[in-house]
């Protein structure tokens, strides 16, 4: 079993140092490489949980960091750097899903993902792997906002405050969404 | 003490979290992701540079004026303006050739004599420095009263200028 990446994001002081490197043209590339090494895996897994396939996750992750590189000079530091990066990644991932939905109005991809998760869950023996497959199937069936909140809370262990920065919604609404998501998943797993 | 994020989760979900197995990714994917992203950024920057023409520095000072002065349009305009100005200047300020200055005194006298009727009385008075008004004529001798006086006058002023035939008719 490989544990999920739950390493804490860098401290505010470390982020400031990183930003200073990024804003100086002579140290920009070195700073950006440090940023990539620090966040690439977390961002990839966050995106992967939204878009399901590695190819899409790879595209979105790369696009996310290119956006970060282009706009980091305009980052005002009102929020943490990593929540800003998460926000870009989330928007990029959702944008890709919407684009795919427009191209395939019946949302074949998401339906397939749900079906695959359900088949895997049904076929697997009752052990941790089967339970994990069932959880993935349950998450895939959640509405978009509940799925995002559950992923960020459950897998990335983000606070409601951080999630509210990423999604631009109130903490109260997020708590309600997470609560509903957990109830639905629990019902699906125990069914 | 900060409560665990997952304390409130159902036991199954809490246990799953600690045993979670990530989906697979290609071998060495994360090792090469950094370079892949940097390569894409550099390629996009190079493409953007290629598409955007290098900004030309706006000329300042003498460089700016040199470019303006030597531009064909400006030169054409300047030539047209100069030609126009010369034409206007020539029209208003060119010296009128005073041909009379080139005449000798004999030629001038001959011209006046031939064209005496064209000259205004005041002009003649100015030239002679004397008045030729009728009032002044009263000072001339009263010829009607004395033939001798006429003869004296003619002798003194005009006798040399009259031709002989005309003089005989008067006498």
């Amino acid at each position: 079993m490989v544990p999920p990446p739950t390493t804490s994001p860098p401290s505010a002081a470390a982020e400031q140092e990183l930003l200073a490197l990024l804003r100086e043209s002579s140290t920009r590339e070195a700073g950006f490489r440090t940023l990539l090494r620090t966040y690439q895996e977390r961002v990839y897994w966050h995106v992967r949980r939204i878009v399901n396939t590695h190819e899409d996750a790879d595209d979105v992750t790369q696009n996310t960091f290119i956006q970060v590189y282009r706009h980091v000079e305009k980052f005002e530091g009102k929020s943490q750097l990593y929540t800003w990066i998460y926000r870009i990644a989330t928007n990029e991932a959702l944008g890709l899903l919407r684009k795919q939905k427009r191209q395939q109005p019946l949302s074949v991809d998401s339906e397939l993902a749900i079906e695959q998760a359900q088949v895997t869950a049904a076929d697997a023996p009752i052990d941790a792997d089967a339970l994990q497959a069932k959880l993935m199937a349950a998450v895939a069936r959640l509405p978009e906002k509940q799925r995002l909140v559950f992923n960020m809370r459950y897998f990335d262990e983000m606070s409601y405050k951080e999630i509210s920065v990423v999604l631009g919604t109130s903490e109260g609404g997020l708590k309600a969404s997470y609560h509903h998501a957990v109830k639905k998943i629990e019902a699906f797993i125990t069914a | 003490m900060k409560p665990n994020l997952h304390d409130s989760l159902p036991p199954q979900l809490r246990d799953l979290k600690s045993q979670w197995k990530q989906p697979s990714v290609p071998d060495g994917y994360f090792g090469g992701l950094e370079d892949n992203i940097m390569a894409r950024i550099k390629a996009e920057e190079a493409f953007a540079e290629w598409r955007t023409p290098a900004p030309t520095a706006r000329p300042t000072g003498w460089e700016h004026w040199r470019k303006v002065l030597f531009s064909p349009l400006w030169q054409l305009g300047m030539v047209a303006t100069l030609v126009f100005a010369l034409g206007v200047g020539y029209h208003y300020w060119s010296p009128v050739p005073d041909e009379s200055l080139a005449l000798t005194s004999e030629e001038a006298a001959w011209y006046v004599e031939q064209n005496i009727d064209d000259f205004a009385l005041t002009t003649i008075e100015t030239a002679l420095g004397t008045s030729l008004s009728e009032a002044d004529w009263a000072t001339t001798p009263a010829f009607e009263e004395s033939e001798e006086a006429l003869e004296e006058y003619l002798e003194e002023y005009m006798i040399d200028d009259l031709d002989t035939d005309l003089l005989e008719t008067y006498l």
Side-chain angles (χ1 to χ4, degrees), chain A residues 1-2 5 29 32-33 37 40 44-45 48 54 58 62-63 66 69-70 132 135 153-155 157 178 186 190, chain B residues 5-6 9-10 12-13 16-17 19-26 29-30 34-35 38 40-42 44-45:
Chain A
M1 293 282 180
V2 180
E29 184 175 335
F32 192 68
R33 283 184 178 276
R37 284 193 292 272
Q40 64 180 11
Y44 171 84
W45 287 117
R48 178 78 186 261
H54 166 72
D58 180 39
Q62 292 198 25
N63 290 342
I66 287 168
Y69 186 83
R70 281 180 190 159
Q132 182 170 325
L135 174 61
R153 182 82 177 156
Y154 183 78
F155 293 109
E157 300 184 356
Y178 182 68
E186 187 183 14
T190 54
Chain B
L5 276 177
H6 304 300
L9 283 174
Q12 275 182 317
L13 284 179
L16 255 181
K17 179 71 172 70
Q19 301 168 359
W20 189 259
K21 189 177 164 185
Q22 295 285 26
S24 62
V25 292
Y29 170 69
F30 288 114
E34 178 188 325
D35 287 336
M38 286 310 300
R40 265 190 67 182
I41 287 170
K42 285 181 191 300
E44 285 189 14
E45 282 181 341

Short mmCIF file of all heavy atoms in Angstrom, two decimals, chain A residues 1-2 5 29 32-33 37 40 44-45 48 54 58 62-63 66 69-70 132 135 153-155 157 178 186 190, chain B residues 5-6 9-10 12-13 16-17 19-26 29-30 34-35 38 40-42 44-45:
data_model
loop_
_atom_site.label_atom_id
_atom_site.label_comp_id
_atom_site.label_asym_id
_atom_site.label_seq_id
_atom_site.Cartn_x
_atom_site.Cartn_y
_atom_site.Cartn_z
N MET A 1 0.83 -1.20 0.00
CA MET A 1 0.00 0.00 0.00
C MET A 1 0.87 1.27 0.00
O MET A 1 1.83 1.35 0.74
CB MET A 1 -0.88 0.05 1.26
CG MET A 1 -1.93 -1.02 1.32
SD MET A 1 -3.30 -0.62 0.26
CE MET A 1 -4.34 -2.03 0.55
N VAL A 2 0.51 2.19 -0.86
CA VAL A 2 1.24 3.46 -0.90
C VAL A 2 0.40 4.54 -0.22
O VAL A 2 -0.73 4.79 -0.64
CB VAL A 2 1.54 3.88 -2.36
CG1 VAL A 2 2.28 5.19 -2.41
CG2 VAL A 2 2.30 2.79 -3.07
N PRO A 5 -0.13 11.24 -0.53
CA PRO A 5 0.77 12.34 -0.16
C PRO A 5 0.06 13.34 0.75
O PRO A 5 -0.79 14.09 0.30
CB PRO A 5 1.13 12.98 -1.51
CG PRO A 5 0.00 12.64 -2.40
CD PRO A 5 -0.58 11.36 -1.91
N GLU A 29 13.76 30.99 -12.78
CA GLU A 29 13.69 29.59 -13.19
C GLU A 29 14.02 28.66 -12.02
O GLU A 29 13.34 27.65 -11.80
CB GLU A 29 14.63 29.32 -14.37
CG GLU A 29 14.50 27.89 -14.87
CD GLU A 29 15.32 27.60 -16.11
OE1 GLU A 29 15.62 28.55 -16.86
OE2 GLU A 29 15.65 26.42 -16.32
N PHE A 32 11.14 28.56 -9.76
CA PHE A 32 10.01 27.81 -10.30
C PHE A 32 10.26 26.30 -10.24
O PHE A 32 9.35 25.52 -10.00
CB PHE A 32 9.72 28.24 -11.74
CG PHE A 32 8.42 27.71 -12.25
CD1 PHE A 32 7.22 28.17 -11.74
CD2 PHE A 32 8.38 26.73 -13.23
CE1 PHE A 32 6.01 27.67 -12.20
CE2 PHE A 32 7.18 26.23 -13.69
CZ PHE A 32 5.99 26.70 -13.17
N ARG A 33 11.50 25.92 -10.42
CA ARG A 33 11.83 24.49 -10.31
C ARG A 33 11.61 24.02 -8.86
O ARG A 33 11.13 22.91 -8.63
CB ARG A 33 13.27 24.23 -10.76
CG ARG A 33 13.43 24.23 -12.28
CD ARG A 33 14.85 23.87 -12.71
NE ARG A 33 14.98 23.83 -14.15
CZ ARG A 33 14.66 22.78 -14.92
NH1 ARG A 33 14.19 21.68 -14.37
NH2 ARG A 33 14.82 22.82 -16.24
N ARG A 37 8.98 21.10 -7.71
CA ARG A 37 9.34 19.94 -6.88
C ARG A 37 8.47 19.88 -5.62
O ARG A 37 8.13 18.83 -5.12
CB ARG A 37 10.82 20.00 -6.52
CG ARG A 37 11.74 19.62 -7.67
CD ARG A 37 13.17 19.40 -7.20
NE ARG A 37 13.80 20.65 -6.77
CZ ARG A 37 14.45 21.48 -7.59
NH1 ARG A 37 14.53 21.21 -8.88
NH2 ARG A 37 14.99 22.58 -7.13
N GLN A 40 4.25 19.62 -7.31
CA GLN A 40 3.77 18.87 -8.49
C GLN A 40 2.98 17.61 -8.13
O GLN A 40 1.96 17.31 -8.74
CB GLN A 40 4.92 18.54 -9.44
CG GLN A 40 5.98 17.61 -8.88
CD GLN A 40 7.10 17.32 -9.88
OE1 GLN A 40 7.20 17.96 -10.91
NE2 GLN A 40 7.93 16.35 -9.55
N TYR A 44 -0.88 17.05 -8.88
CA TYR A 44 -1.24 15.95 -9.79
C TYR A 44 -2.35 15.10 -9.18
O TYR A 44 -3.35 14.79 -9.84
CB TYR A 44 -0.01 15.08 -10.11
CG TYR A 44 -0.39 13.82 -10.87
CD1 TYR A 44 -0.55 13.84 -12.25
CD2 TYR A 44 -0.65 12.62 -10.20
CE1 TYR A 44 -0.93 12.70 -12.94
CE2 TYR A 44 -1.03 11.47 -10.88
CZ TYR A 44 -1.16 11.53 -12.25
OH TYR A 44 -1.55 10.39 -12.95
N TRP A 45 -2.19 14.70 -7.91
CA TRP A 45 -3.18 13.81 -7.30
C TRP A 45 -4.51 14.52 -7.09
O TRP A 45 -5.57 13.91 -7.23
CB TRP A 45 -2.65 13.23 -5.98
CG TRP A 45 -1.60 12.19 -6.23
CD1 TRP A 45 -0.30 12.26 -5.84
CD2 TRP A 45 -1.75 10.97 -6.95
NE1 TRP A 45 0.38 11.15 -6.27
CE2 TRP A 45 -0.50 10.33 -6.96
CE3 TRP A 45 -2.81 10.34 -7.60
CZ2 TRP A 45 -0.28 9.11 -7.57
CZ3 TRP A 45 -2.60 9.11 -8.21
CH2 TRP A 45 -1.33 8.51 -8.20
N ARG A 48 -5.95 14.45 -10.50
CA ARG A 48 -6.26 13.06 -10.90
C ARG A 48 -7.59 12.61 -10.31
O ARG A 48 -8.34 11.86 -10.92
CB ARG A 48 -5.12 12.15 -10.45
CG ARG A 48 -5.31 10.66 -10.75
CD ARG A 48 -5.03 10.35 -12.20
NE ARG A 48 -5.35 8.95 -12.52
CZ ARG A 48 -4.46 7.97 -12.57
NH1 ARG A 48 -3.18 8.21 -12.35
NH2 ARG A 48 -4.82 6.74 -12.89
N HIS A 54 -4.96 9.27 -16.15
CA HIS A 54 -3.61 9.84 -16.01
C HIS A 54 -3.32 10.87 -17.11
O HIS A 54 -2.74 11.92 -16.83
CB HIS A 54 -2.56 8.72 -16.08
CG HIS A 54 -1.16 9.25 -16.27
ND1 HIS A 54 -0.47 9.91 -15.27
CD2 HIS A 54 -0.35 9.28 -17.37
CE1 HIS A 54 0.71 10.29 -15.73
NE2 HIS A 54 0.80 9.92 -17.01
N ASP A 58 -2.26 14.56 -16.35
CA ASP A 58 -0.95 15.07 -16.78
C ASP A 58 -1.11 16.39 -17.52
O ASP A 58 -0.42 17.38 -17.24
CB ASP A 58 -0.29 14.02 -17.67
CG ASP A 58 1.08 14.47 -18.15
OD1 ASP A 58 1.81 15.08 -17.36
OD2 ASP A 58 1.41 14.21 -19.33
N GLN A 62 0.24 20.00 -16.08
CA GLN A 62 1.20 20.84 -16.83
C GLN A 62 0.61 22.22 -17.12
O GLN A 62 1.28 23.24 -16.95
CB GLN A 62 1.59 20.13 -18.13
CG GLN A 62 2.41 18.87 -17.87
CD GLN A 62 3.16 18.41 -19.11
OE1 GLN A 62 3.46 19.19 -19.99
NE2 GLN A 62 3.48 17.13 -19.16
N ASN A 63 -0.65 22.23 -17.55
CA ASN A 63 -1.29 23.53 -17.83
C ASN A 63 -1.36 24.40 -16.58
O ASN A 63 -1.19 25.61 -16.64
CB ASN A 63 -2.70 23.32 -18.40
CG ASN A 63 -2.66 22.74 -19.79
OD1 ASN A 63 -1.64 22.79 -20.47
ND2 ASN A 63 -3.77 22.15 -20.21
N ILE A 66 1.99 25.94 -15.91
CA ILE A 66 2.30 26.98 -16.91
C ILE A 66 1.53 28.27 -16.57
O ILE A 66 2.07 29.37 -16.66
CB ILE A 66 1.97 26.46 -18.34
CG1 ILE A 66 3.02 25.42 -18.75
CG2 ILE A 66 1.95 27.61 -19.33
CD1 ILE A 66 2.68 24.63 -19.99
N TYR A 69 3.32 29.88 -13.72
CA TYR A 69 4.54 30.56 -14.19
C TYR A 69 4.20 31.90 -14.83
O TYR A 69 4.89 32.90 -14.61
CB TYR A 69 5.26 29.66 -15.19
CG TYR A 69 6.61 30.19 -15.63
CD1 TYR A 69 7.74 29.99 -14.86
CD2 TYR A 69 6.74 30.90 -16.83
CE1 TYR A 69 8.98 30.47 -15.25
CE2 TYR A 69 7.98 31.38 -17.23
CZ TYR A 69 9.09 31.16 -16.44
OH TYR A 69 10.31 31.65 -16.83
N ARG A 70 3.12 31.91 -15.61
CA ARG A 70 2.76 33.15 -16.32
C ARG A 70 2.27 34.24 -15.37
O ARG A 70 2.48 35.43 -15.61
CB ARG A 70 1.64 32.86 -17.32
CG ARG A 70 2.10 32.22 -18.60
CD ARG A 70 0.90 32.00 -19.50
NE ARG A 70 1.23 31.19 -20.66
CZ ARG A 70 0.33 30.52 -21.36
NH1 ARG A 70 -0.93 30.57 -21.03
NH2 ARG A 70 0.69 29.81 -22.41
N GLN A 132 -11.64 0.20 -1.27
CA GLN A 132 -11.13 1.42 -1.94
C GLN A 132 -11.85 1.63 -3.26
O GLN A 132 -12.23 2.76 -3.60
CB GLN A 132 -9.62 1.29 -2.18
CG GLN A 132 -9.03 2.53 -2.82
CD GLN A 132 -7.51 2.53 -2.86
OE1 GLN A 132 -6.87 2.03 -1.93
NE2 GLN A 132 -6.96 3.06 -3.92
N LEU A 135 -15.20 2.97 -2.58
CA LEU A 135 -15.13 4.39 -2.21
C LEU A 135 -14.97 5.26 -3.46
O LEU A 135 -15.64 6.29 -3.61
CB LEU A 135 -13.95 4.64 -1.26
CG LEU A 135 -13.68 6.09 -0.90
CD1 LEU A 135 -14.88 6.72 -0.20
CD2 LEU A 135 -12.45 6.23 -0.03
N ARG A 153 -10.84 17.59 1.46
CA ARG A 153 -10.87 17.39 2.92
C ARG A 153 -10.31 16.01 3.28
O ARG A 153 -9.47 15.90 4.18
CB ARG A 153 -12.34 17.53 3.38
CG ARG A 153 -12.57 17.41 4.86
CD ARG A 153 -12.28 18.70 5.57
NE ARG A 153 -12.58 18.57 6.99
CZ ARG A 153 -12.04 19.32 7.93
NH1 ARG A 153 -11.18 20.27 7.61
NH2 ARG A 153 -12.36 19.17 9.20
N TYR A 154 -10.77 15.00 2.59
CA TYR A 154 -10.43 13.62 2.95
C TYR A 154 -8.99 13.27 2.52
O TYR A 154 -8.21 12.76 3.32
CB TYR A 154 -11.42 12.67 2.28
CG TYR A 154 -11.22 11.20 2.62
CD1 TYR A 154 -11.66 10.69 3.85
CD2 TYR A 154 -10.63 10.33 1.72
CE1 TYR A 154 -11.48 9.33 4.17
CE2 TYR A 154 -10.45 8.98 2.02
CZ TYR A 154 -10.88 8.49 3.24
OH TYR A 154 -10.71 7.15 3.53
N PHE A 155 -8.65 13.57 1.27
CA PHE A 155 -7.34 13.15 0.77
C PHE A 155 -6.25 14.19 1.06
O PHE A 155 -5.14 13.84 1.44
CB PHE A 155 -7.40 12.89 -0.74
CG PHE A 155 -8.24 11.71 -1.11
CD1 PHE A 155 -9.47 11.87 -1.73
CD2 PHE A 155 -7.82 10.41 -0.83
CE1 PHE A 155 -10.26 10.77 -2.06
CE2 PHE A 155 -8.61 9.31 -1.16
CZ PHE A 155 -9.83 9.48 -1.78
N GLU A 157 -6.48 16.72 3.20
CA GLU A 157 -6.54 17.16 4.60
C GLU A 157 -6.46 18.69 4.72
O GLU A 157 -5.76 19.23 5.58
CB GLU A 157 -5.45 16.49 5.44
CG GLU A 157 -5.59 14.97 5.43
CD GLU A 157 -4.58 14.26 6.33
OE1 GLU A 157 -3.73 14.94 6.92
OE2 GLU A 157 -4.66 13.03 6.43
N TYR A 178 -19.60 18.66 2.69
CA TYR A 178 -18.77 17.54 3.14
C TYR A 178 -19.61 16.54 3.92
O TYR A 178 -19.49 15.32 3.74
CB TYR A 178 -17.61 18.07 3.99
CG TYR A 178 -16.66 16.99 4.46
CD1 TYR A 178 -15.84 16.32 3.55
CD2 TYR A 178 -16.58 16.64 5.81
CE1 TYR A 178 -14.97 15.32 3.99
CE2 TYR A 178 -15.70 15.66 6.25
CZ TYR A 178 -14.91 15.00 5.33
OH TYR A 178 -14.05 14.01 5.74
N GLU A 186 -20.90 6.70 2.79
CA GLU A 186 -21.10 5.67 3.81
C GLU A 186 -22.26 4.75 3.42
O GLU A 186 -22.16 3.51 3.51
CB GLU A 186 -21.38 6.33 5.16
CG GLU A 186 -21.43 5.35 6.33
CD GLU A 186 -21.78 6.04 7.64
OE1 GLU A 186 -22.25 7.20 7.62
OE2 GLU A 186 -21.59 5.41 8.69
N THR A 190 -21.76 0.68 2.60
CA THR A 190 -22.39 -0.31 3.47
C THR A 190 -23.60 -0.99 2.82
O THR A 190 -24.18 -1.91 3.40
CB THR A 190 -22.83 0.35 4.79
OG1 THR A 190 -23.65 1.47 4.48
CG2 THR A 190 -21.63 0.78 5.60
N LEU B 5 -8.58 15.37 11.64
CA LEU B 5 -9.60 15.71 10.63
C LEU B 5 -10.60 14.58 10.41
O LEU B 5 -11.75 14.82 10.09
CB LEU B 5 -8.91 15.99 9.29
CG LEU B 5 -8.35 17.38 9.04
CD1 LEU B 5 -7.65 17.39 7.70
CD2 LEU B 5 -9.45 18.41 9.09
N HIS B 6 -10.12 13.37 10.60
CA HIS B 6 -10.96 12.22 10.26
C HIS B 6 -11.62 11.57 11.47
O HIS B 6 -12.21 10.50 11.34
CB HIS B 6 -10.11 11.19 9.50
CG HIS B 6 -9.47 11.77 8.28
ND1 HIS B 6 -10.20 12.32 7.25
CD2 HIS B 6 -8.16 11.92 7.94
CE1 HIS B 6 -9.37 12.76 6.32
NE2 HIS B 6 -8.13 12.54 6.72
N LEU B 9 -15.22 10.81 10.97
CA LEU B 9 -15.61 9.92 9.85
C LEU B 9 -16.10 8.57 10.37
O LEU B 9 -15.66 8.10 11.44
CB LEU B 9 -14.41 9.68 8.94
CG LEU B 9 -14.00 10.79 7.97
CD1 LEU B 9 -12.70 10.40 7.27
CD2 LEU B 9 -15.10 11.02 6.94
N PRO B 10 -16.94 7.91 9.58
CA PRO B 10 -17.30 6.53 9.93
C PRO B 10 -16.03 5.67 9.96
O PRO B 10 -15.09 5.94 9.20
CB PRO B 10 -18.22 6.11 8.78
CG PRO B 10 -18.68 7.38 8.16
CD PRO B 10 -17.61 8.39 8.38
N GLN B 12 -15.05 2.82 8.75
CA GLN B 12 -14.57 2.25 7.48
C GLN B 12 -13.77 3.28 6.68
O GLN B 12 -12.71 2.98 6.15
CB GLN B 12 -15.74 1.76 6.65
CG GLN B 12 -16.17 0.35 7.01
CD GLN B 12 -17.30 -0.12 6.12
OE1 GLN B 12 -18.23 0.64 5.85
NE2 GLN B 12 -17.22 -1.36 5.67
N LEU B 13 -14.31 4.48 6.61
CA LEU B 13 -13.62 5.53 5.85
C LEU B 13 -12.31 5.94 6.53
O LEU B 13 -11.31 6.22 5.87
CB LEU B 13 -14.52 6.76 5.70
CG LEU B 13 -15.65 6.68 4.67
CD1 LEU B 13 -16.47 7.96 4.67
CD2 LEU B 13 -15.09 6.44 3.28
N LEU B 16 -9.79 3.21 5.79
CA LEU B 16 -9.38 3.26 4.38
C LEU B 16 -8.33 4.34 4.14
O LEU B 16 -7.41 4.16 3.35
CB LEU B 16 -10.60 3.59 3.51
CG LEU B 16 -11.20 2.46 2.71
CD1 LEU B 16 -12.38 2.97 1.91
CD2 LEU B 16 -10.18 1.85 1.77
N LYS B 17 -8.50 5.44 4.82
CA LYS B 17 -7.58 6.57 4.62
C LYS B 17 -6.14 6.16 4.95
O LYS B 17 -5.20 6.53 4.22
CB LYS B 17 -8.02 7.75 5.51
CG LYS B 17 -7.15 8.98 5.42
CD LYS B 17 -7.35 9.66 4.09
CE LYS B 17 -6.64 10.99 4.04
NZ LYS B 17 -5.20 10.90 4.00
N GLN B 19 -4.87 3.28 4.72
CA GLN B 19 -4.36 2.21 3.85
C GLN B 19 -4.51 2.57 2.36
O GLN B 19 -4.44 1.70 1.51
CB GLN B 19 -5.15 0.91 4.11
CG GLN B 19 -5.08 0.43 5.55
CD GLN B 19 -6.11 -0.67 5.83
OE1 GLN B 19 -6.88 -1.07 4.98
NE2 GLN B 19 -6.10 -1.19 7.05
N TRP B 20 -4.74 3.83 2.11
CA TRP B 20 -5.08 4.22 0.73
C TRP B 20 -3.96 3.92 -0.25
O TRP B 20 -2.79 4.18 0.00
CB TRP B 20 -5.41 5.71 0.68
CG TRP B 20 -5.98 6.12 -0.65
CD1 TRP B 20 -5.34 6.75 -1.65
CD2 TRP B 20 -7.31 5.89 -1.10
NE1 TRP B 20 -6.18 6.93 -2.71
CE2 TRP B 20 -7.40 6.41 -2.41
CE3 TRP B 20 -8.44 5.27 -0.53
CZ2 TRP B 20 -8.57 6.35 -3.15
CZ3 TRP B 20 -9.60 5.23 -1.28
CH2 TRP B 20 -9.66 5.76 -2.58
N LYS B 21 -4.35 3.37 -1.38
CA LYS B 21 -3.39 3.01 -2.43
C LYS B 21 -3.70 3.89 -3.64
O LYS B 21 -4.81 3.85 -4.17
CB LYS B 21 -3.58 1.54 -2.78
CG LYS B 21 -2.54 0.97 -3.68
CD LYS B 21 -2.86 -0.53 -3.87
CE LYS B 21 -2.13 -1.12 -5.03
NZ LYS B 21 -2.56 -2.53 -5.24
N GLN B 22 -2.69 4.66 -4.03
CA GLN B 22 -2.91 5.57 -5.16
C GLN B 22 -3.03 4.80 -6.47
O GLN B 22 -2.41 3.74 -6.63
CB GLN B 22 -1.73 6.55 -5.29
CG GLN B 22 -1.56 7.50 -4.12
CD GLN B 22 -2.59 8.61 -4.12
OE1 GLN B 22 -3.68 8.46 -4.66
NE2 GLN B 22 -2.26 9.73 -3.50
N PRO B 23 -3.82 5.33 -7.41
CA PRO B 23 -3.83 4.72 -8.74
C PRO B 23 -2.42 4.76 -9.35
O PRO B 23 -1.59 5.57 -8.93
CB PRO B 23 -4.79 5.62 -9.53
CG PRO B 23 -5.53 6.40 -8.53
CD PRO B 23 -4.67 6.51 -7.32
N SER B 24 -2.21 3.92 -10.32
CA SER B 24 -0.85 3.84 -10.88
C SER B 24 -0.55 5.02 -11.82
O SER B 24 -1.46 5.59 -12.44
CB SER B 24 -0.69 2.53 -11.66
OG SER B 24 -1.61 2.53 -12.74
N VAL B 25 0.73 5.37 -11.87
CA VAL B 25 1.21 6.36 -12.85
C VAL B 25 2.40 5.73 -13.56
O VAL B 25 3.03 4.81 -13.01
CB VAL B 25 1.65 7.68 -12.18
CG1 VAL B 25 0.49 8.41 -11.58
CG2 VAL B 25 2.73 7.45 -11.15
N PRO B 26 2.70 6.15 -14.79
CA PRO B 26 3.86 5.57 -15.50
C PRO B 26 5.13 5.70 -14.66
O PRO B 26 5.31 6.69 -13.94
CB PRO B 26 3.94 6.42 -16.77
CG PRO B 26 2.56 6.95 -16.97
CD PRO B 26 2.01 7.15 -15.60
N TYR B 29 7.33 8.98 -13.80
CA TYR B 29 6.54 10.13 -14.25
C TYR B 29 6.89 11.39 -13.47
O TYR B 29 7.16 12.45 -14.06
CB TYR B 29 5.05 9.83 -14.12
CG TYR B 29 4.17 11.04 -14.35
CD1 TYR B 29 4.05 11.61 -15.61
CD2 TYR B 29 3.50 11.65 -13.28
CE1 TYR B 29 3.29 12.74 -15.81
CE2 TYR B 29 2.73 12.79 -13.48
CZ TYR B 29 2.62 13.32 -14.75
OH TYR B 29 1.87 14.44 -14.96
N PHE B 30 6.89 11.32 -12.15
CA PHE B 30 7.14 12.52 -11.36
C PHE B 30 8.59 13.00 -11.51
O PHE B 30 8.87 14.19 -11.37
CB PHE B 30 6.80 12.28 -9.89
CG PHE B 30 5.31 12.19 -9.67
CD1 PHE B 30 4.72 11.00 -9.26
CD2 PHE B 30 4.50 13.29 -9.90
CE1 PHE B 30 3.34 10.91 -9.08
CE2 PHE B 30 3.12 13.21 -9.71
CZ PHE B 30 2.55 12.02 -9.31
N GLU B 34 8.94 17.76 -13.93
CA GLU B 34 9.54 19.10 -13.80
C GLU B 34 10.17 19.54 -15.13
O GLU B 34 9.91 20.65 -15.61
CB GLU B 34 10.60 19.05 -12.69
CG GLU B 34 11.34 20.35 -12.48
CD GLU B 34 12.50 20.18 -11.50
OE1 GLU B 34 12.37 19.37 -10.54
OE2 GLU B 34 13.53 20.84 -11.70
N ASP B 35 10.97 18.64 -15.71
CA ASP B 35 11.63 19.00 -16.98
C ASP B 35 10.62 19.15 -18.12
O ASP B 35 10.79 20.01 -18.99
CB ASP B 35 12.68 17.93 -17.35
CG ASP B 35 13.90 18.04 -16.44
OD1 ASP B 35 14.14 19.13 -15.89
OD2 ASP B 35 14.58 17.02 -16.25
N MET B 38 9.05 22.57 -17.71
CA MET B 38 10.00 23.63 -18.06
C MET B 38 10.22 23.69 -19.58
O MET B 38 10.33 24.78 -20.15
CB MET B 38 11.35 23.42 -17.35
CG MET B 38 11.33 23.72 -15.87
SD MET B 38 10.62 25.32 -15.39
CE MET B 38 11.65 26.49 -16.24
N ARG B 40 8.06 22.86 -21.86
CA ARG B 40 6.87 23.48 -22.48
C ARG B 40 6.89 24.99 -22.30
O ARG B 40 6.54 25.75 -23.21
CB ARG B 40 5.60 22.90 -21.84
CG ARG B 40 5.03 21.74 -22.63
CD ARG B 40 3.68 21.33 -22.13
NE ARG B 40 2.66 22.35 -22.36
CZ ARG B 40 1.40 22.23 -21.98
NH1 ARG B 40 1.01 21.14 -21.33
NH2 ARG B 40 0.53 23.19 -22.20
N ILE B 41 7.30 25.44 -21.11
CA ILE B 41 7.34 26.89 -20.85
C ILE B 41 8.34 27.56 -21.79
O ILE B 41 8.05 28.60 -22.39
CB ILE B 41 7.70 27.15 -19.37
CG1 ILE B 41 6.51 26.80 -18.48
CG2 ILE B 41 8.12 28.60 -19.15
CD1 ILE B 41 6.81 26.78 -17.00
N LYS B 42 9.51 26.96 -21.93
CA LYS B 42 10.53 27.56 -22.80
C LYS B 42 10.08 27.57 -24.26
O LYS B 42 10.31 28.54 -24.99
CB LYS B 42 11.86 26.80 -22.65
CG LYS B 42 12.57 27.13 -21.33
CD LYS B 42 13.87 26.37 -21.23
CE LYS B 42 14.47 26.47 -19.83
NZ LYS B 42 14.77 27.82 -19.41
N GLU B 44 6.98 27.67 -25.31
CA GLU B 44 5.93 28.70 -25.46
C GLU B 44 6.53 30.10 -25.48
O GLU B 44 6.09 30.97 -26.23
CB GLU B 44 4.90 28.57 -24.33
CG GLU B 44 3.97 27.40 -24.54
CD GLU B 44 2.81 27.36 -23.55
OE1 GLU B 44 2.57 28.37 -22.87
OE2 GLU B 44 2.15 26.31 -23.48
N GLU B 45 7.54 30.31 -24.65
CA GLU B 45 8.21 31.63 -24.64
C GLU B 45 8.91 31.90 -25.97
O GLU B 45 8.85 33.01 -26.49
CB GLU B 45 9.21 31.69 -23.49
CG GLU B 45 8.56 31.93 -22.14
CD GLU B 45 9.56 32.01 -21.00
OE1 GLU B 45 10.70 31.54 -21.17
OE2 GLU B 45 9.19 32.54 -19.94
#
